[in-house]
Amino acid sequence: MSADTGKTLYTAGYGAGWTVEALDAAMRERHAVLVDTRLVPFSRKPGWGRDALSAHFGPRRYVHIKALGNLNYRGGPVELADAGEGIESLAARLAEPGIDAVVLLCGCRDVRTCHRKVVAELAAERLGDRFALRIEHLEPPVSASPGWKCLSIRQPWAWAILHGGKDIENRSWKTDYRGPVLIHAAKTLTQAEYTGACLDIGIMAPRLDVPRHEDLERGGIVGAARIVDCVDRSESPWFGGGFGFVLADPRPLPFLPLTGRLGLFEVREADLAPIAAALVRANYREIELERMA
């Protein structure tokens, strides 16, 4: 039974840095409508409440399906309010003439810990044959964010994050931030510091061939990654305490000279203009959910 073919089911979390205008543009490009999957469609962020979204998109392009909401949105295992009713309501939107795609909206930054991933996988299971569903996750374009978080790291540790599988950055302080982060290579690196770091890296990753001291880029942005967690214990060989920023999706970037600062600091978009195209390729990507399970 295949009434429609080639539909796409996207997910988006506005907590990742979306603006309503940027999401609207992404939806128009994909001929998509918006399905709000929050149990309670309220937000302290202006523009993301149900009334504001309904006014912006209109009834044709926005609908709130409470049945797809997570009853345990304050914590605990995902439990959809009414999975059967919710999936059939979603199917009705997918079946509308002229609609090529649906965007499942929630507020969570990370799809891997958001109930919209559960909704998408359930829809693929129950509606996949009917609509030949393709499932993807949307990240906001760089222009949708007021700025980038940046973390300054001494070499060759910054290199190890981007090229050597280093999945933990150790700090004496914790962070609640989750999302994209620019990797800044600190300018200072003595020969003694370099030699000591290479010895440590050799213990944790014996097969890594660390570049020579003079070949390491320093004093600027060298890449980007995502902070997905902050832990005080880990089985990763890169964890050394007290707190470990868990990193994923490392992406090298063209070198951009920039003065580093302490902590997680903000970098204005205007300062990133020379590498804007590379940032878009690194951060504005659509990831198949099956690969993130």
Side-chain angles (χ1 to χ4, degrees):
M1 186 169 83
S2 182
D4 293 277
T5 59
K7 304 283 187 177
T8 305
L9 192 61
Y10 297 100
T11 85
Y14 61 81
W18 283 101
T19 64
V20 174
E21 292 73 18
L23 184 59
D24 192 354
M27 288 168 54
R28 290 183 186 278
E29 180 183 347
R30 294 162 174 80
H31 304 287
V33 296
L34 190 62
V35 169
D36 193 336
T37 67
R38 295 172 294 175
L39 186 71
V40 180
F42 165 81
S43 177
R44 291 185 175 86
K45 292 190 174 184
W48 292 107
R50 178 176 56 189
D51 292 345
L53 291 171
S54 182
H56 182 96
F57 292 102
R60 165 73 173 157
R61 301 181 61 229
Y62 169 82
V63 65
H64 171 231
I65 301 181
K66 184 176 182 179
L68 293 177
N70 179 17
L71 294 175
N72 296 324
Y73 68 94
R74 295 185 183 276
V78 171
E79 182 181 355
L80 300 185
D82 190 329
E85 176 187 333
I87 293 300
E88 284 309 308
S89 296
L90 182 60
R93 298 299 279 185
L94 286 165
E96 292 180 15
I99 300 302
D100 295 335
V102 162
V103 177
L104 300 177
L105 178 72
C106 192
C108 304
R109 291 188 184 100
D110 192 345
V111 67
R112 287 166 288 196
T113 56
C114 179
H115 88 287
R116 68 184 188 273
K117 181 175 185 288
V118 174
V119 174
E121 291 172 342
L122 186 61
E125 176 186 330
R126 298 189 182 180
L127 306 177
D129 292 340
R130 194 189 314 182
F131 298 104
L133 276 182
R134 181 185 179 195
I135 302 174
E136 299 182 8
H137 172 59
L138 292 178
E139 289 285 349
V142 173
S143 59
S145 174
W148 277 73
K149 297 290 187 183
C150 189
L151 192 61
S152 187
I153 301 168
R154 289 185 180 246
Q155 292 284 31
W157 301 109
W159 177 89
I161 289 171
L162 299 171
H163 304 282
K166 184 176 186 287
D167 59 353
I168 296 280
E169 172 60 17
N170 297 291
R171 296 281 151 155
S172 61
W173 45 276
K174 67 183 297 186
T175 181
D176 293 326
Y177 174 73
R178 306 291 183 270
V181 62
L182 296 169
I183 304 300
H184 176 275
K187 190 171 184 177
T188 302
L189 179 65
T190 67
Q191 186 64 50
E193 289 171 338
Y194 170 79
T195 300
C198 286
L199 290 173
D200 290 339
I201 290 173
I203 294 172
M204 290 174 275
R207 297 184 181 181
L208 271 188
D209 187 12
V210 180
R212 297 180 304 171
H213 178 283
E214 57 268 29
D215 293 336
L216 288 166
E217 295 174 316
R218 290 180 285 138
I221 292 169
V222 292
R226 298 182 72 81
I227 297 178
V228 298
D229 202 358
C230 180
V231 298
D232 58 11
R233 59 176 60 86
S234 172
E235 295 182 359
S236 170
W238 299 100
F239 180 75
F243 297 100
F245 298 179
V246 183
L247 303 173
D249 303 326
R251 302 271 179 142
L253 292 171
F255 180 73
L256 178 65
L258 186 78
T259 301
R261 300 200 297 273
L262 296 176
L264 267 172
F265 61 94
E266 289 277 345
V267 180
R268 300 178 306 162
E269 282 186 33
D271 295 330
L272 300 173
I275 59 171
L279 278 169
V280 171
R281 289 193 297 271
N283 191 53
Y284 188 32
R285 65 202 191 283
E286 298 161 353
I287 307 172
E288 294 182 14
L289 292 175
E290 298 91 280
R291 294 171 54 198
M292 301 174 66

